[in-house]
Amino acid sequence: MNYSSGKKNVIFLLVILFLIIGATVFFFFSIRTDAVNDILKNKDSIVSVLWLLNDGDDILASEILVMYPPTKKSAMFDIPGNTGGIYRSLGRVDRLDQVYKEKGVISFAKEVEGITGRELPFVVEVSLEDFSALTDILGGLKIFISDPVFTKAEDDSYFLFPSGGVTLDGDKINSYLHYSVAGESETFVKDRRQNTLIAFLSALRENSSIIFDEDNFSLYSGYFKGYLNGEKLDEESLHKVLSLLLNMDSDRITTNSITGTLNTVDGKKLLFPEDNGMQIKKVLNLTVTSLLSEEMSSQSRVYVLEILNGTDRTGLASRTARLFRDAGYEILRYENADRDDYQYTTIVSHIGNFKSAETIGSFIRCRNIVEDEIDSSAGLGTSATADFTIILGDDFNGTYATSGYSGNKNEGE
């Protein structure tokens, strides 16, 4: 009798234990799903995703995707694996991709956040093997190749790609991402990676009715690994994140990359970002501003800017010109203004488009905008081929105009 009673008690305790475990697991994933919903439900906020393509322990592509859901406009930033820095997770100066090899994807994502100064709640990771398999499932990726490729690989085989618009299957995409040409610049390698990812997202969107159908997604979800703040996403949450990315207008996406100086450290060539890493932070901030801007979201024209340094700070015009160029503007020239004692930063419109001038001003928090009725001898807009001239004043800190100017008179007075 005592034995039977004890056995019942044990069974009862086990049932309670399983219920507790089940409730805990359910509660855990419910919180995770709610966290995803909280981020995605605000349709008026920027969504940021770190997209990784790996080949075993090696990172082939690391791209930050930022998207503004109301306009579907997006931007993509390539984060080179050889980006150099003092990485906390390693405790030394090294390549960024070494963090991935030694510490894994979560530590890698944290270091990218440190480099860019942008929070990246979502990480999506795909292996090259799965990427190639998905490429075949999607019927190939449509890639534009500007010049034909004929180059020899290390195993004496050849990489052959015709020029023009081509559709590459999984094996060809593998080769396309791996081939190298002697003397090829990093810019072309970066463009190849970004164009491949854009083509992949476009193909996913074209096949979304099949891939992302609720009854079918479980067949394809295993090809992706998704994370939210370091925790792995469940299938439902992964579906929500990927579905949002598919709304991206790939025809209007802007692309960019970290730029800097190559130096050799301990036998490794490392790319150290410009301006101690501040340049990429500025470009990201300006790009996000452009995504949020209604005017920039609808414009198709690339405006031409002239940047004039109206201060006594050396190099201010060139650094600011690079900032606007990285944000997608064309720079006609940058040089010193007619004098170096301008108090307020000024934007001069030469085309009578005040709204676009305001959009440019929002990049650098400048509200001092004037129409082109100023004598050219004053040094404002010396060329009719520039759409806008920006004169940098003492209130410009290298990123923003800090004075909060709101007057209407010429800042030089």
Side-chain angles (χ1 to χ4, degrees):
M1 183 70 178
N2 290 335
Y3 172 77
S4 177
S5 176
K7 185 176 181 181
K8 289 180 180 180
N9 288 337
V10 171
I11 294 175
F12 179 71
L13 290 174
L14 287 174
V15 170
I16 292 176
L17 180 62
F18 283 126
L19 288 173
I20 291 174
I21 293 174
T24 301
V25 172
F26 175 79
F27 182 68
F28 175 77
F29 282 107
S30 295
I31 292 176
R32 179 97 44 87
T33 302
D34 289 342
V36 172
N37 290 335
D38 288 343
I39 295 174
L40 299 184
K41 71 180 180 182
N42 186 355
K43 300 301 183 182
D44 291 326
S45 64
I46 292 288
V47 176
S48 301
V49 179
L50 176 62
W51 185 284
L52 301 177
L53 176 62
N54 71 63
D55 186 8
D57 291 335
D58 296 320
I59 290 286
L60 285 183
S62 173
E63 307 287 341
I64 294 176
L65 293 173
V66 288
M67 175 185 175
Y68 186 43
T71 62
K72 300 181 182 179
K73 192 177 181 190
S74 305
M76 181 183 296
F77 293 84
D78 180 67
I79 311 296
N82 67 334
T83 301
I86 303 174
Y87 297 114
R88 183 175 300 179
S89 56
L90 297 178
R92 65 177 187 270
V93 175
D94 212 320
R95 296 168 54 104
L96 176 61
D97 54 14
Q98 195 64 32
V99 175
Y100 182 85
K101 288 183 178 182
E102 295 186 23
K103 301 296 181 178
V105 61
I106 305 306
S107 294
F108 181 88
K110 287 296 182 184
E111 298 291 3
V112 173
E113 286 184 334
I115 291 171
T116 60
R118 183 157 195 86
E119 186 177 350
L120 301 168
F122 296 114
V123 178
V124 177
E125 184 180 19
V126 183
S127 70
L128 181 59
E129 180 181 358
D130 288 337
F131 191 84
S132 298
L134 280 168
T135 295
D136 287 332
I137 292 172
L138 296 169
L141 302 185
K142 298 174 183 177
I143 303 289
F144 179 80
I145 301 175
S146 57
D147 298 305
V149 176
F150 181 80
T151 185
K152 193 174 184 179
E154 293 181 357
D155 61 359
D156 291 333
S157 62
Y158 287 90
F159 293 112
L160 304 173
F161 298 101
S163 60
V166 297
T167 299
L168 303 182
D169 62 18
D171 287 339
K172 282 290 187 181
I173 280 293
N174 191 326
S175 299
Y176 183 69
L177 288 168
H178 274 107
Y179 86 83
S180 61
V181 177
E184 184 180 38
S185 72
E186 283 296 321
T187 299
F188 287 107
V189 177
K190 178 263 296 182
D191 289 344
R192 200 155 65 230
R193 291 192 292 255
Q194 291 183 327
N195 291 338
T196 300
L197 178 53
I198 292 172
F200 179 71
L201 293 173
S202 296
L204 278 178
R205 185 179 60 199
E206 292 172 3
N207 293 273
S208 60
S209 60
I210 299 174
I211 303 291
F212 290 92
D213 179 84
E214 291 185 359
D215 295 329
N216 294 341
F217 185 66
S218 59
L219 300 174
Y220 306 102
S221 61
Y223 291 104
F224 305 91
K225 292 180 181 178
Y227 303 89
L228 169 62
N229 296 326
E231 300 290 341
K232 192 171 182 180
L233 290 176
D234 58 80
E235 186 175 293
E236 178 185 355
S237 298
L238 179 63
H239 184 278
K240 290 180 179 179
V241 175
L242 292 176
S243 296
L244 180 67
L245 288 181
L246 295 188
N247 287 323
M248 178 180 68
D249 185 352
S250 58
D251 293 330
R252 301 171 64 197
I253 189 169
T254 59
T255 59
N256 217 309
S257 179
I258 289 179
T259 57
T261 304
L262 281 172
N263 288 314
T264 301
V265 178
D266 295 332
K268 299 179 181 179
K269 283 191 175 181
L270 307 183
L271 176 69
F272 290 94
E274 292 181 8
D275 196 16
N276 293 321
M278 289 303 298
Q279 180 72 4
I280 186 62
K281 294 181 175 69
K282 293 175 184 177
V283 172
L284 267 168
N285 287 336
L286 291 180
T287 301
V288 168
T289 300
S290 73
L291 296 182
L292 292 170
S293 166
E294 180 181 352
E295 168 70 9
M296 283 296 293
S297 298
S298 60
Q299 81 176 36
S300 57
R301 176 181 175 182
V302 177
Y303 288 114
V304 180
L305 307 182
E306 178 183 42
I307 313 293
L308 302 179
N309 183 3
T311 77
D312 59 1
R313 284 173 278 166
T314 303
L316 187 62
S318 63
R319 292 193 297 272
T320 306
R322 187 165 58 244
L323 192 64
F324 274 97
R325 184 183 293 112
D326 288 343
Y329 289 95
E330 183 177 339
I331 305 302
L332 177 66
R333 65 171 60 86
Y334 55 87
E335 56 191 30
N336 291 329
D338 61 310
R339 63 181 193 270
D340 62 5
D341 60 349
Y342 282 89
Q343 182 179 359
Y344 298 116
T345 297
T346 304
I347 296 175
V348 183
S349 172
H350 305 296
I351 58 174
N353 190 333
F354 190 80
K355 190 173 183 180
S356 293
E358 285 186 316
T359 300
I360 293 171
S362 70
F363 283 177
I364 55 175
R365 300 177 187 172
C366 173
R367 293 184 292 174
N368 185 22
I369 300 171
V370 298
E371 297 293 334
D372 187 12
E373 297 178 355
I374 301 172
D375 191 323
S376 61
S377 64
L380 302 180
T382 57
S383 173
T385 57
D387 298 315
F388 302 94
T389 296
I390 301 173
I391 303 119
L392 306 173
D394 286 336
D395 63 339
F396 191 70
N397 66 4
T399 305
Y400 302 116
T402 59
S403 65
Y405 177 91
S406 58
N408 295 315
K409 65 179 181 177
N410 191 320
E411 99 300 342
E413 297 178 355

